[in-house]
Structure formats: C-alpha cells, structure tokens
Amino acid sequence: AEHAALRETSIRKSVFSGEPERIASMPPRTESSNIVTWQNSSGLTAQANAAYNTALFATAGVRVEHDSRLAPSQDLVTLPMFGGAAARDYGPFTFKLRAAYGKGIRPPATLAHSSFWQTLSTAATQATLGPEVQSGTEAGFDMLFRHSFSLQVTRFDQRASGLVQQVALYADSGYQSRKVTYKLEDVGEISNRGWEIAAAESVSRLSVTGALSFVGSRVTKLASDYTGDLRTGDRMLQVPASTASLTASWTGNRWFASIGGARAMDWINYDELAMTQQFTSGSHPAHELLGSQLRQYWRRYNGGLRLRATASRDIKDMFSIELSADNLLNYQRGEPDNITVVPGRTILSGVRVKF
C-alpha cells in the first residue's frame, strides 16, 4: 500500500538526471547572507497483519505524521493504508491476486531550492504552499512456477494534488522588458494511471529479470491561481509514456557478473535550445517566453539505451575485487531535454573488505 501511495509523479522531478530551469536574466548575487533553518518530522505508525489458512492475507495501517515544513494548520496528517491478497497453489504453479490502497505526502521542499539561486532583488513573493499529496489504488496478479520463474502484472490508478511547478513571471511592468523572475505555484490535480509488468527467470547460475511500465499522466484540474503553461488534459512534462529494463546476472563460486540496460521513451519537455536562442537573440521580450507562450516550445523526446555492467571476484573470504561501468554506450544528450549534458561513461574499480 505504501508503494501504491508513494509512486512518484512530479513536474519538478523525473526519472532523468538534472532539473532544467527556465531561461532567465539573472545577474550574479550582489550580497551574501547566512541563513540557517531547522526542519524536523516525526511520526507514529501502527500496522496489523492477518492471514487465514496461508491463502488469504490482509494488511491495514495508519501513519500519523508531524512535519515542521507544513503550515501550522496542516502540520499533523493522517496517512492510511490497506491491502489484501489471495494465493492458491496448482501443482508447480502459485497464483496470487492482490490489491492495495495508500496515501502519501511530500512537503514543499523546493522552496529552499528556489530561494538558493534567486537573487535577493528578483525573488518573487512566495505564497504558502501545502504538501504534495498522492493517493490511489493498485491491483495485480502474480504467478510463480517452481520458484524459478515469476511474473507480476500491476494496474495502478492514482491521483496527485498540490504538485509544485516553478513558474516564470514578469520581473517588471515594461512590455518590452526581458527580465524574468520565478514563483512556485500549485498546478492542481494530476491523474497517474498505467501498467507495470515484471518477470524473472533463474536457470542454474544464470538469472534474468525484466520490467515494462506504461504510464498515462495527465492534468485533470488546474489550481485557480496557476499561471503556468499547462492546461487541463495535457500530458505531464518529463514523464515518459513507457520505460523498459532488462538485466542478466551470473553467479559462480567466486565470480559474479551482470549486465543490464534501461530506456525511457516518449515524453514531452521544452525545446531548451530554441528557447535559449530566442532569448539570447535580444529581439524577444519576456512576455514571449512566459505562460501559454511556452507551449510553442514543447517537443517530444525519446531516450537512449543505458547499459550498465558489474563484475566481482572473491580473492579470499574477506577480500573481493569489483569493477563496474555505467552508461557504457556513452549516451550523454537528449535527456531530459536537448540542452542538458548528463554524465558519460563511468568506470569504477575497487576492493571490498568484508568482516
């Protein structure tokens, strides 16, 4: 149930590395300040589990949480979770049906991020934002064959509200002004529906795992005071419509090796290169790069294949040598937009000591 509630759907964060920000005229900070803030959260969780005849299972729980980052009227929240499953064996097969409901929150931690890089002279007045809230259900079917092959199929249907977007605004009233400032705004409500499929197979020392996901993430309702470029019915930005991964590993007496690949496909994001060219040309005022005008810079992206490999060798019971490589194909451009360069091929080696 907690997994059902906390599956990420955010217009600020995504599966990609990096977090592109709007093009802006931002002079260097002219004065320094030392600001220290303390944040704390605490909670109490109660959970009950029940089973009958190793065939029916039920879980119910609640978490009461206090967080100093929330407004005084919201700093105490109650988060329920419920789940149930039914399992049955048929010869070498085990089948399971399951369902769950859960709710989760995330305080508006982006406030600190925004105020860090904005200059004191251009920081926009920030309204009090509530927590990002996501709740919903998931239902699934599992199959296990002789403890060697497993298949999981999950359907999820969730709704998120209070999602925060960094929205560009006029810095002054001049129609031809090219100064831009920013404000964090509540977008509204987002639906997050889709399928997840996972499979695993083990044959002797070899094991193979794979996963597919298909997500439809759309704006269902805009907040009344939202001034950004999203509209009701739009796909969420930076959320891939599908992702896929496949990993194979081999375990020997003293050897271990694995290789895997993952790819994200079909998402919408800004044409950051075109926006930069328009802004630096000096012929486009700020109002042409704000609000609904940003929609003309939307474009579709498709990610590249990311390959990763690891290998290790035990020398003695306490020592092992390890080697790992990320982004073997050196794919660096095109995620999450056409102006961000992500880390290239990275190879690490080391020695592990076990006690």
Side-chain angles (χ1 to χ4, degrees):
E2 287 181 310
H3 176 69
L6 297 178
R7 184 183 284 106
E8 292 287 344
T9 303
S10 172
I11 61 174
R12 297 179 297 101
K13 305 288 185 182
S14 70
V15 296
F16 313 112
S17 59
E19 185 177 350
E21 297 167 347
R22 298 288 178 275
I23 302 300
S25 176
M26 295 186 294
R29 185 181 290 272
T30 57
E31 56 182 291
S32 62
S33 61
N34 294 320
I35 301 175
V36 177
T37 60
W38 290 92
Q39 300 173 347
N40 64 81
S41 64
S42 58
L44 178 66
T45 300
Q47 182 172 316
N49 301 307
Y52 174 73
N53 199 28
T54 65
L56 299 176
F57 306 88
T59 299
V62 63
R63 175 177 173 84
V64 180
E65 184 172 325
H66 174 276
D67 198 301
S68 64
R69 291 170 291 181
L70 301 179
S73 60
Q74 303 172 316
D75 62 355
L76 188 64
V77 294
T78 302
L79 307 173
M81 53 179 262
F82 306 96
R88 184 77 180 269
D89 292 332
Y90 292 93
F93 292 92
T94 298
F95 298 94
K96 180 190 291 185
L97 294 176
R98 51 185 166 78
Y101 167 83
K103 182 179 181 180
I105 68 167
R106 180 170 58 189
T110 51
L111 290 171
H113 169 75
S114 178
S115 61
F116 174 78
W117 58 262
Q118 286 179 332
T119 63
L120 296 179
S121 60
T122 62
T125 302
Q126 178 60 59
T128 301
L129 294 172
E132 296 180 324
V133 180
Q134 184 159 275
S135 62
T137 60
E138 70 175 34
F141 166 80
D142 300 347
M143 182 187 72
L144 179 66
F145 176 72
R146 295 188 185 278
H147 301 282
S148 62
F149 174 78
S150 64
L151 174 67
Q152 296 178 314
V153 180
T154 303
R155 169 69 179 180
F156 59 90
D157 189 343
Q158 300 171 352
R159 184 172 295 269
S161 61
L163 296 184
V164 177
Q165 183 186 35
Q166 192 168 265
V167 177
L169 304 171
Y170 294 106
D172 55 45
S173 58
Y175 185 76
Q176 296 298 320
S177 173
R178 301 181 67 247
K179 296 182 179 180
V180 177
T181 188
Y182 293 87
K183 180 181 179 181
L184 299 177
E185 293 185 357
D186 175 5
V187 174
E189 295 183 0
I190 312 299
S191 68
N192 185 30
R193 301 185 178 96
W195 295 87
E196 294 176 343
I197 304 171
E201 170 73 20
S202 297
V203 179
S204 184
R205 298 176 180 270
L206 177 67
S207 63
V208 180
T209 60
L212 285 171
S213 69
F214 305 94
V215 180
S217 186
R218 292 187 177 274
V219 180
T220 57
K221 182 180 179 181
L222 290 175
S224 58
D225 55 352
Y226 174 69
T227 62
D229 50 330
L230 290 170
R231 297 293 181 265
T232 301
D234 284 343
R235 285 180 57 184
M236 288 303 303
L237 304 181
Q238 296 191 35
V239 178
S242 59
T243 58
S245 65
L246 183 67
T247 301
S249 60
W250 182 83
T251 304
N253 293 329
R254 290 186 173 272
W255 281 94
F256 173 80
S258 70
I259 184 169
R263 184 178 180 183
M265 293 162 281
D266 187 16
W267 69 93
I268 297 176
N269 202 1
Y270 299 101
D271 187 341
E272 297 283 353
L273 182 59
M275 291 174 62
T276 302
Q277 292 172 339
Q278 294 286 2
F279 187 82
T280 56
S281 68
S283 59
H284 295 270
H287 69 84
E288 295 184 8
L289 296 172
L290 302 180
S292 61
Q293 296 295 324
L294 288 171
R295 297 173 67 87
Q296 63 182 309
Y297 296 101
W298 288 9
R299 57 162 289 182
R300 299 174 79 106
Y301 289 87
N302 268 304
L305 178 62
R306 302 299 187 107
L307 287 181
R308 185 179 192 276
T310 62
S312 65
R313 164 71 175 176
D314 292 336
I315 305 301
K316 293 185 177 181
D317 292 339
M318 293 180 58
F319 297 93
S320 63
I321 300 174
E322 298 184 350
L323 182 68
S324 64
D326 285 308
N327 195 8
L328 284 170
L329 300 181
N330 203 33
Y331 183 83
Q332 291 187 270
R333 296 181 296 175
E335 295 182 9
D337 52 53
N338 56 358
I339 203 172
T340 301
V341 178
V342 298
R345 186 183 298 111
T346 305
I347 300 176
L348 299 175
S349 61
V351 177
R352 181 185 295 271
V353 180
K354 295 177 287 186
F355 297 95

